[in-house]
Amino acid sequence: MSTMVYMKILEQTPSKYDRGVRILTLGRIDRIKREIASSWVEPGHHVLEIGCGTGTLAALMSARGARVVGIDISDEMLAAARRNAPEAELIHMTATEIDRLGASRFDRIVATLSFSELSEDELDLVLHSSSGLLKPGGKLVAADEVPPRRWWARALGCLIRWPLAAVTFLLTQNTTHALKRVEERFERAGFRIVCRKDYLIGTLSLIVAEKE
């Protein structure tokens, strides 16, 4: 089911964020973060995390031996991340500003449940910037909300999503956007998708794309 819209509420209270997202994704996000850190990040990798939140994934990647730079626009989230991932370099920055970090600098760029908070134009900009930030052969690893590929799952997802989106907007004046035309968007930005795994009747995907 599509529950990522609740994140905008949870972000108001970082102390409850991880527990809330864990419940809303039925524990899938923890598994996905562990898979990202263990399967797609190597010791010595220079990694950028877009939307580092409370730093749980940054901590896992740092423990793996990676050098992590995490960005977020929430001071409250960054304060929590500094406690959870003291080894990481954490910066107050929007996703659309990442091109300031330097060309061909990173081996990996990761983003979990953050691309869906961007508009379509912002997402395209961030994807193109990500391609420029990665070293040749570098990978972009994203886990986020997507429209299900099966028609019945799309119908069910819409029935669940829209009431949640309305409540979230009333409480936070914001919502999330499922990533549409994922393959097309990534390829247009200069990436080749090498792995995709779907969860929660196809509303949550882990996507790994290599810079071409």
Side-chain angles (χ1 to χ4, degrees):
M1 55 187 157
S2 180
T3 55
M4 265 31 93
V5 291
Y6 278 132
M7 287 172 50
K8 300 308 296 182
I9 299 173
L10 293 172
E11 285 172 2
Q12 313 305 311
T13 53
S15 62
K16 300 178 182 178
Y17 178 83
D18 289 329
R19 181 172 61 182
V21 172
R22 189 175 297 121
I23 292 170
L24 294 174
T25 61
L26 302 179
R28 299 303 194 280
I29 196 61
D30 286 339
R31 272 187 248 169
I32 290 171
K33 287 181 177 181
R34 288 194 296 269
E35 179 175 351
I36 291 172
S38 63
S39 299
W40 298 107
V41 173
E42 299 291 338
H45 272 174
H46 202 180
V47 182
L48 170 64
E49 182 177 7
I50 299 173
C52 62
T54 61
T56 54
L57 178 54
L60 290 171
M61 295 188 294
S62 294
R64 174 81 165 149
R67 295 174 294 148
V68 180
V69 175
I71 68 163
D72 207 286
I73 60 171
S74 167
D75 289 325
E76 292 79 10
M77 287 290 187
L78 287 170
R82 290 188 179 101
R83 293 191 295 271
N84 293 327
E87 303 88 355
E89 178 186 354
L90 302 170
I91 304 171
H92 186 279
M93 178 183 287
T94 67
T96 55
E97 297 175 303
I98 59 174
D99 57 349
R100 292 164 38 191
L101 294 173
S104 301
R105 176 180 174 184
F106 297 99
D107 300 285
R108 298 286 184 270
I109 295 177
V110 303
T112 58
L113 306 180
S114 56
F115 282 171
S116 54
E117 297 186 11
L118 304 174
S119 70
E120 293 197 359
D121 288 342
E122 289 171 334
L123 176 58
D124 288 337
L125 173 61
V126 171
L127 289 175
H128 278 90
S129 295
S130 295
S131 178
L133 290 174
L134 284 167
K135 298 174 183 178
K139 291 182 174 62
L140 172 62
V141 185
D144 222 314
E145 183 179 8
V146 295
R149 290 189 266 192
R150 296 185 177 91
W151 70 266
W152 59 267
R154 288 197 301 272
L156 180 59
C158 285
L159 286 174
I160 295 171
R161 177 185 169 81
W162 290 112
L164 301 183
V167 171
T168 303
F169 185 82
L170 287 173
L171 292 174
T172 69
Q173 287 72 58
N174 210 333
T175 187
T176 59
H177 309 272
L179 308 184
K180 299 176 181 177
R181 304 187 306 279
V182 172
E183 289 85 355
E184 175 188 333
R185 285 195 131 88
F186 277 57
E187 289 172 4
R188 195 165 61 230
F191 290 99
R192 177 179 61 88
I193 293 178
V194 297
C195 177
R196 176 171 175 171
K197 295 183 179 180
D198 294 332
Y199 306 86
L200 301 177
I201 65 168
T203 63
L204 176 66
S205 285
L206 171 63
I207 301 162
V208 181
E210 186 174 72
K211 176 180 178 177
E212 294 187 322

